[in-house]
Amino acid sequence: MSFRTTTAVDYVEDVSPGPGALPPRAWYSSSDAASLSLNGRWRLRVSATADAEDDSFAEEGFDAGDWAEVTVPGHWVLQGDGSFGSPIYTNHLYPFPVDPPHVPTENPTGDHLRVFDLPADWPADGSAVLRFDGVESCARVWLNGTDIGEFKGSRLPHEFAVGHLLKTVGNVLAVRVHQWSAGSYLEDQDQWWLPGIFRDVTLLHRPAGSVLDFFVHASYDHTSGEGTLRVDSDVDGRVTVPALDIDVATGEPVTVPVRPWSAETPYLYDGVLATEGERVPLRIGFRTVVLEDGLIKVNGKAVLFKGVNRHEWHPEKGRALDLETMREDVLLMKRHNLNAVRTSHYPPHPAFLDLCDEYGLWVIDECDLETHGFTEQGWRDNPVDDDRWTPALLDRAARMVERDKNHPSIVFWSLGNEAGTGRGLTAMAEWIHGRDSSRLVHYEGDWDCRDTDVYSRMYAFHAEVESIGQGLDGGTHKRRELPFIQCEYGHAMGNGPGGIADYQRLFEKYERLQGGFIWEWIDHGIKHPELGYAYGGDFGEELHDGNFVCDGLIFPDRTPSPGLLEYKKVIEPVHIEGDGSDGTLRVTNRHDFADLSALAFEWSYQVDGETVEAGTLNVPSLAAGESADVKLPEPPADARGAETQWTVRALLAADTAWAPKDHVVAWGQFPGVSRPLPSVAPTDRPALGKKLITLGPASFDARTGALKTIGGVSVVSPRLDVWRATTDNDDGAEWQSDTRYGVLWRTLGLHRMQHRLDSVEAGENALTVRTRVAPAAREVGLDTVYRWTSDGTRLRLTVSVTPEGEWTLPLPRLGVRLGLPEADQVKWFGGGPGEAYPDTRSASLVGRWQSTVDDLQTPYVRPQENGARADVRWVELGGLRIEGDPEFWFTARRWTTEQLDAATHLTDLTADDTVWVNLDHGLHGIGTQSCGPGPLPQYFLRAEPTEFSFVFSVTD
C-alpha cells in the first residue's frame, strides 16, 4: 500500500487561485469611507523551504523582536545585506524543473508580521476589507490568529472580509509569502523573479450601504457629439456630474453633449457615485472603441499607436513603484511623443492607469499570464491548454477586467503574452467579450485570430510588415479582415533600436498597419555598489539571460537613452518637410484627433551651424490629417562662402499638464547654401631627416611614415580602423545565427586586424604610405594608402581603400583611429547633440555643439559601441581642428575600442592618458537583432573601393 502525506503547504502547488478572497471588483483610489494604509516597516523571517516553520507566528502575542525589518511594499531580496537571498533573472527559462504544478523543495518563504492599531476615529459600525494589491507569488494570510485565506496571481488585487476579526488595538496581521508556487508557471514574464509584498496593503472600512462593484459606461457618438453615461452598481445609488448637469440613479442612462476623451485630448469629467453609505469620486472619459471597416477606431477615427511596452521597474525597489515614479514615466512618455502603453506582461499598479486617464495614453491592459518556458518542451503540458488550470486563468482575467474596467484609457484587454495557444485562452477571451463589449481583445500568440480582435505580431521584419499592409500576408479569412499591430518591435537593448524610422514609414503608408509598441520602456538594472547596475548572472544565478533584461528606452535611473530621443523624432505628430530649394516647406498634422492650435512654430537660420536670425512662422491650425505649404522668409544674411540651413520647430504655445510652454514637439531642418569642401593646395614638399620626415606643420617617423606631431601636438598616428565594440544588436539573438554580424566579424578576425607596411614614399609634394590591413588566417584584406599633403599650415590626409579577396560580410566601420594626449572640451559642427548611427540618425540635428569627452559617452548598462556623431563637418579637440571631405562620423573616448569591447559593466572602464578618436567615413547600421531584424541592406557598410580625406590644423 502506498500513500502520500499531505502537509499544511499543499496550497502552494494547488492550481486553483486559492480560497477566501472576495470576488474581484472595481478599484478606486479614494472615497469618503475610512481607510488605513498598512504600508511601512514589517517584521520578516525568511526560511529556505515552504514548511520550515509552523504558523505559530500568526498567533497573538508571538515575539518577533529578533526578526529583521523590511519595507512593504518591497521585495525582501532587494533589502538588507543580501542574507535574504538574491534576485534571479531569466527571459523565458523557468529557474526550476518544469514539472507542473510542482515547485522545488528549496522554496524561499518570507513570514511577514505587522501589528497595528485602528485609528481613534475608525468607525465602530460596518465591516472592513483587507486588500493586497500585489504579492509574489503565493500568500497565506492570518489576522489575529485566524486563517483568512490564500491566493496566487502576483500582479492582481485580492480582498478579504475582516471586519469581524478587528480589534481596537494590537491587531496582528501575518502573511506567509512563498517565492515559488503553481502560480509561478503562469508568470514567466522576462523579468527578475522577486518575491515579496510589493504593492500596497490597505484596510478599508465598509459602511452599511457602501459601494461594492460598479461599472462606468461612457460612450461617445462622434456623429452627434453626444455622450451616453450609465453607471451600473451592485448597490443602488445616484450618479452626479456637475459639469454636465447630470443627476441620475445608477443603472439609468443619460445622453448629453460632451467633450470626448482621447489620448491627445484626455478630457475627464468629475463625478460622484453616492450610495447610502459611501461617496466615490469618478473620473469619466467619454469614448467609443470599435472594430469597423477592418480598423481600430476610437470616436469614429482610426488610431495609430506610437507605443511602448512597460514593465514596472525601479533600480533599487524593483516593482515596488511609488506614485511619483509612475508619474515620471507618464510625463517622459508624453514629452517624447508616445501615445500608447502595453502593460507588459501584467496589469500595472492601478494608480498608473489613473495617470494614463489624466495625461492621455492609449492602454493595452495585459493579464498576468505567460508560460513561455514551455517552449523548451514544444508546449507540452502547457497550462493554458489544460482544463485543470482554466479556473486560475479565468480568475486572472476577471481580476484584471473588474479592477480596471472604469479607465477610459484602456482600449484593449490582452489575454497575456507568449503562452502558446489553448482552451484556457479561448475561455478567457469568451468571458472578457461577454463581460465588456466596449473594448477589443488582444493576444499576440493567436496568429489565426480565433479569439482576438486584432492581428498582432512581434518583431516581424520590415518586408513582412509591408506585405501585411498590402494585404498579401494570407492567413485565415478572419485574420485578413483585421487590423495589424506590432505589439513588440524595435528591441531597445543597448545601442539602438535601429530601423524604427523605416517601420514608421510603413505604418503611415498603409491604413491596415496601426502602429506598434517598442520593447521596452526601461532597463531593469539593479543598483549595485560595485558594478554600477547589475543584470542577469551578477547574483550567481544558475540559469540567467545576462543583460537581456536591460532593453529599455530609458536607463535604470530614468535618463532618456538615445533610442528614446530617436523614437520621439520618428513618431513626432507634426511632419515638417521640404528641401529648402524654393523657400517652401510642407507641414502635415499627423495627430489622429487634435488640431495644431496648441502649437507655435518658429524658424531659425544657421550660417556654418550658428543661428544668425530667428522668428515666428505662421502655420494654420490644421485639423488632424491636413497639410499646408508654408513659405519661409527670405534668407536674412549674406552667407557667401558659408553653409546655411533652416530649422523649423513646433513648440507648445502654452503650459500643459505634461510639459511647459516652448517644449519642442517636432522639428524639421532644410539645407540652404551647400558647404564648401575644405581644400589644401599641396605646396610643401616632404623633408627627409635621419629619424623624422617633416611636411608643413607635421612630423612623421622616417621608417614607418607614422604621424608623430602636428604643430607641436603629439598624435598617435592615424591608421585604418574597421572594428567597433560590438553592440547587443550586432551580437544578435542566438536563434538568428546566420546573420549575427558581431559573431561573424569575430570569426573573420576583424577585431584583430594586422597592419603590414609596404612602403614609405616621399614624393615632390606628398608623403605616401602604402599598407595592407588584414585579419590573421584569412586571405581577404584591405589595400590601404595614406597620402599626406600640406600647404604649410594645414595638413591633408587622403585615405584610399581597395578590398582584396572575396568580402562576403559588411564592415563594422571604416575610417581612421588616432590618439591625442590631452583632450577634454570638444566642439564640432555637425549632427548632435547626441549619438547617431546610419539607421538611428533621425534625431540628429545639424548645428554647432560642444561637450566634454566624458559626456560624449552613452552609459549603456553593458558597455558597447556608442557616442558617434553624424554628418560632422569639423571637430576641434586636443588643440587640433579636423575637417572632413566628405562629412564624417566622429567618436572620442578615454579608453580603446578593445577595452570597451572587453568591459561587462561601466565600472570596468577606466580613463587612459590618451583620448582615442575615430574619424569614420562609414559605419554599419545598428538594427534591432538582439530580438528582431538586423540592419536593412541600405544601412550595410560594404567593403568596396573608397576614398576619403581629413584636413588637420592647429587651433588657437
Side-chain angles (χ1 to χ4, degrees):
M1 185 175 73
S2 63
F3 64 92
R4 182 174 187 268
T5 302
T6 60
T7 72
V9 294
D10 279 355
Y11 63 88
V12 172
E13 294 184 342
D14 188 343
V15 300
S16 73
L22 295 169
R25 66 186 181 115
W27 187 93
Y28 48 93
S29 59
S30 65
S31 79
D32 63 350
S35 66
L36 175 64
S37 172
L38 298 178
N39 296 346
R41 301 297 286 174
W42 289 52
R43 292 288 183 175
L44 173 71
R45 175 183 64 192
V46 177
S47 306
T49 65
D51 58 357
E53 303 285 350
D54 61 27
D55 56 10
S56 61
F57 81 103
E59 299 294 333
E60 298 176 76
F62 181 86
D63 183 6
D66 60 346
W67 288 18
E69 280 194 330
V70 292
T71 298
V72 170
H75 306 277
W76 71 69
V77 295
L78 294 182
Q79 302 187 57
D81 58 2
S83 59
F84 297 150
S86 300
I88 300 169
Y89 168 61
T90 60
N91 168 30
H92 77 280
L93 296 174
Y94 290 107
F96 48 80
V98 180
D99 182 23
H102 304 300
V103 295
T105 300
E106 293 297 317
N107 187 357
T109 295
D111 289 335
H112 296 71
L113 204 59
R114 174 82 149 85
V115 179
F116 66 94
D117 300 334
L118 294 179
D121 59 353
W122 188 267
D125 63 324
S127 62
V129 165
L130 178 64
R131 183 176 70 208
F132 295 87
D133 282 315
V135 181
E136 184 175 333
S137 74
C138 173
R140 187 177 181 185
V141 186
W142 296 262
L143 182 62
N144 293 328
T146 299
D147 184 348
I148 61 174
E150 64 240 13
F151 61 91
K152 306 177 187 75
S154 297
R155 269 65 70 172
L156 296 162
H158 295 83
E159 294 183 329
F160 299 88
V162 297
H164 60 295
L165 299 174
L166 288 173
K167 303 186 302 181
T168 303
V169 297
N171 292 283
V172 178
L173 176 57
V175 185
R176 174 162 285 170
V177 180
H178 306 282
Q179 174 155 24
W180 310 123
S181 70
S184 301
Y185 284 99
L186 304 180
E187 297 173 3
D188 188 22
Q189 293 144 321
D190 185 11
Q191 60 184 336
W192 293 99
W193 299 88
L194 298 172
I197 305 172
F198 68 94
R199 287 186 186 159
D200 308 289
V201 182
T202 313
L203 184 67
L204 303 168
H205 179 239
R206 301 285 76 212
S210 62
V211 172
L212 294 178
D213 192 22
F214 64 95
F215 197 162
V216 176
H217 304 272
S219 61
Y220 178 71
D221 184 342
H222 66 278
T223 62
S224 67
E226 294 178 317
T228 299
L229 175 67
R230 187 185 82 246
V231 179
D232 295 333
S233 175
D234 287 358
V235 176
D236 291 342
R238 296 197 70 79
V239 176
T240 54
V241 186
L244 296 175
D245 293 325
I246 290 176
D247 184 348
V248 296
T250 54
E252 180 180 330
V254 58
T255 300
V256 293
V258 297
R259 292 175 60 180
W261 187 98
S262 74
E264 295 168 7
T265 55
Y267 195 84
L268 294 171
Y269 289 91
D270 289 319
V272 173
L273 167 61
T275 62
E276 178 186 353
E278 188 176 14
R279 292 172 58 86
V280 175
L282 303 177
R283 298 278 277 165
I284 302 167
F286 289 88
R287 58 103 185 94
T288 296
V289 183
V290 297
L291 185 63
E292 183 180 86
D293 303 323
L295 298 172
I296 305 158
K297 293 185 178 181
V298 181
N299 301 337
K301 292 188 175 182
V303 295
L304 184 62
F305 296 114
K306 303 169 183 178
V308 69
N309 289 273
R310 174 186 177 268
H311 269 298
E312 295 182 305
W313 188 250
H314 186 281
E316 296 173 83
K317 301 175 183 177
R319 286 188 284 280
L321 267 60
D322 57 49
L323 179 62
E324 287 313 305
T325 300
M326 291 184 264
R327 189 186 308 276
E328 185 179 356
D329 280 347
V330 171
L331 292 177
L332 278 170
M333 291 175 188
K334 293 290 292 185
R335 291 168 183 167
H336 289 87
N337 292 331
L338 279 77
N339 70 1
V341 178
R342 176 179 174 226
T343 69
S344 53
H345 296 295
Y346 42 82
H349 190 293
F352 178 77
L353 299 174
D354 285 341
L355 296 169
C356 293
D357 295 342
E358 177 183 354
Y359 292 102
L361 289 168
W362 308 117
V363 175
I364 296 180
D365 197 5
E366 192 148 275
C367 194
D368 191 9
L369 173 63
E370 180 168 337
T371 63
H372 199 174
F374 285 90
T375 57
E376 296 298 307
Q377 55 200 61
W379 295 107
R380 187 175 62 257
D381 298 326
N382 185 9
V384 305
D385 201 27
D386 184 334
D387 291 339
R388 295 175 299 167
W389 294 80
T390 299
L393 303 182
L394 289 172
D395 179 74
R396 290 173 183 244
R399 291 190 181 279
M400 171 183 68
V401 171
E402 302 297 5
R403 189 196 77 167
D404 297 342
K405 58 183 176 284
N406 295 323
H407 290 282
S409 55
I410 298 172
V411 292
F412 271 100
W413 301 116
S414 180
L415 303 181
N417 183 69
E418 292 178 318
T421 57
R423 292 162 287 174
L425 289 167
T426 298
M428 293 170 69
E430 290 175 348
W431 185 89
I432 292 174
H433 276 121
R435 176 60 174 144
D436 181 17
S437 61
S438 69
R439 296 178 175 91
L440 306 178
V441 171
H442 167 272
Y443 177 64
E444 185 272 339
D446 182 14
W447 284 18
D448 289 337
C449 302
R450 180 182 64 177
D451 300 321
T452 58
D453 300 310
V454 62
Y455 178 28
S456 176
R457 291 281 301 281
M458 53 176 69
Y459 309 110
F461 286 24
H462 296 78
E464 183 182 6
V465 170
E466 181 155 33
S467 72
I468 293 170
Q470 295 169 333
L472 303 177
D473 56 303
T476 62
H477 176 74
K478 179 182 179 183
R479 190 179 92 180
R480 294 197 305 272
E481 294 185 334
L482 292 180
F484 175 82
I485 63 170
Q486 283 243 73
C487 69
E488 294 180 22
Y489 82 111
H491 197 250
M493 185 176 177
N495 188 333
I500 56 174
D502 305 277
Y503 275 120
Q504 191 66 23
R505 282 189 282 271
L506 296 174
F507 295 158
E508 294 178 358
K509 180 178 181 180
Y510 298 103
E511 187 179 52
R512 186 189 182 192
L513 307 180
Q514 293 197 251
F517 297 77
I518 294 291
W519 184 268
E520 63 157 308
W521 177 239
I522 187 169
D523 286 343
H524 301 200
I526 294 177
K527 193 169 184 180
H528 192 282
E530 296 162 6
L531 301 175
Y533 290 108
Y535 49 77
D538 288 333
F539 297 97
E541 302 102 302
E542 181 180 34
L543 290 175
H544 66 85
D545 286 287
N547 69 310
F548 202 71
V549 76
C550 294
D551 46 13
L553 291 172
I554 59 176
F555 296 123
D557 65 356
R558 285 180 159 73
T559 300
S561 76
L564 181 58
L565 302 179
E566 174 79 359
Y567 195 36
K568 175 186 177 181
K569 174 61 179 170
V570 165
I571 60 175
E572 59 189 9
V574 181
H575 284 197
I576 305 170
E577 301 166 304
D579 61 11
S581 59
D582 62 354
T584 301
L585 58 87
R586 188 165 184 80
V587 178
T588 302
N589 181 359
R590 297 292 308 185
H591 286 103
D592 294 323
F593 297 93
D595 63 24
L596 298 187
S597 59
L599 300 179
F601 289 79
E602 295 182 354
W603 62 267
S604 60
Y605 187 71
Q606 290 81 40
V607 175
D608 280 342
E610 292 189 308
T611 296
V612 297
E613 198 164 337
T616 59
L617 191 66
N618 186 21
V619 176
S621 182
L622 301 170
E626 289 186 345
S627 299
D629 292 329
V630 179
K631 195 73 174 175
L632 290 166
E634 289 296 316
D638 183 358
R640 283 177 292 183
E643 179 182 2
T644 65
Q645 287 102 14
W646 294 92
T647 304
V648 175
R649 294 177 173 87
L651 317 169
L652 288 180
D655 291 347
T656 69
W658 50 270
K661 180 179 182 292
D662 295 331
H663 167 79
V664 178
V665 173
W667 58 268
Q669 193 168 58
F670 319 100
V673 178
S674 297
R675 164 191 176 230
L677 294 176
S679 62
V680 174
T683 57
D684 273 28
R685 60 184 303 165
L688 278 66
K690 186 174 284 189
K691 293 186 177 181
L692 293 177
I693 299 173
T694 59
L695 177 63
S699 66
F700 301 81
D701 185 283
R703 184 181 63 84
T704 65
L707 178 67
K708 304 289 286 185
T709 64
I710 302 177
V713 177
S714 297
V715 180
V716 179
S717 181
R719 69 176 188 173
L720 193 75
D721 192 12
V722 299
W723 183 246
R724 71 185 187 200
T726 55
T727 68
D728 291 313
N729 287 303
D730 288 338
D731 291 334
E734 291 182 4
W735 57 89
Q736 297 176 330
S737 58
D738 299 0
T739 56
R740 296 172 66 197
Y741 285 112
V743 176
L744 296 173
W745 291 334
R746 289 186 198 277
T747 301
L748 181 58
L750 299 189
H751 61 307
R752 46 176 174 76
M753 300 289 275
Q754 297 185 14
H755 297 251
R756 186 186 74 206
L757 177 64
D758 289 340
S759 67
V760 177
E761 304 167 7
E764 185 170 334
N765 56 11
L767 175 66
T768 302
V769 180
R770 302 185 186 276
T771 69
R772 187 175 189 271
V773 183
R778 307 289 176 177
E779 62 179 358
V780 297
L782 299 171
D783 183 76
T784 306
V785 178
Y786 307 94
R787 187 172 186 271
W788 298 92
T789 57
S790 177
D791 62 3
T793 58
R794 294 181 299 165
L795 184 71
R796 184 183 185 98
L797 166 63
T798 299
V799 182
S800 302
V801 180
T802 304
E804 297 178 343
E806 187 176 353
W807 284 85
T808 59
L809 294 178
L811 297 172
R813 72 180 342 136
L814 183 66
V816 296
R817 176 167 59 164
L818 57 90
L820 297 174
E822 293 181 5
D824 183 31
Q825 297 296 316
V826 184
K827 298 179 181 180
W828 75 98
F829 174 22
E835 76 178 25
Y837 289 82
D839 54 350
T840 66
R841 63 191 298 173
S842 300
S844 182
L845 180 69
V846 173
R848 287 207 193 188
W849 308 102
Q850 60 182 10
S851 174
T852 64
V853 170
D854 292 339
D855 287 344
L856 288 174
Q857 315 310 308
T858 303
Y860 295 114
V861 174
R862 185 189 76 79
Q864 55 198 274
E865 165 62 31
N866 73 90
R869 268 57 180 181
D871 304 311
V872 176
R873 282 74 164 153
W874 55 256
V875 61
E876 293 181 353
L877 80 164
L880 293 182
R881 178 185 176 99
I882 307 168
E883 300 174 76
D885 178 9
E887 289 90 10
F888 58 99
W889 306 81
F890 159 72
T891 309
R893 52 178 67 102
R894 299 188 187 278
W895 34 80
T896 65
T897 298
E898 291 73 22
Q899 290 169 324
L900 181 61
D901 204 15
T904 60
H905 295 82
L906 289 171
T907 50
D908 295 335
L909 296 170
T910 56
D912 197 343
D913 292 336
T914 302
V915 172
W916 295 98
V917 179
N918 277 92
L919 311 172
D920 289 313
H921 177 66
L923 290 167
H924 188 62
I926 295 297
T928 180
Q929 200 172 9
S930 54
C931 191
L936 289 169
Q938 59 264 39
Y939 305 118
F940 280 29
L941 179 59
R942 307 286 184 182
E944 55 191 13
T946 307
E947 185 172 282
F948 51 92
S949 297
F950 300 102
V951 175
F952 299 84
S953 57
V954 178
T955 58
D956 295 333

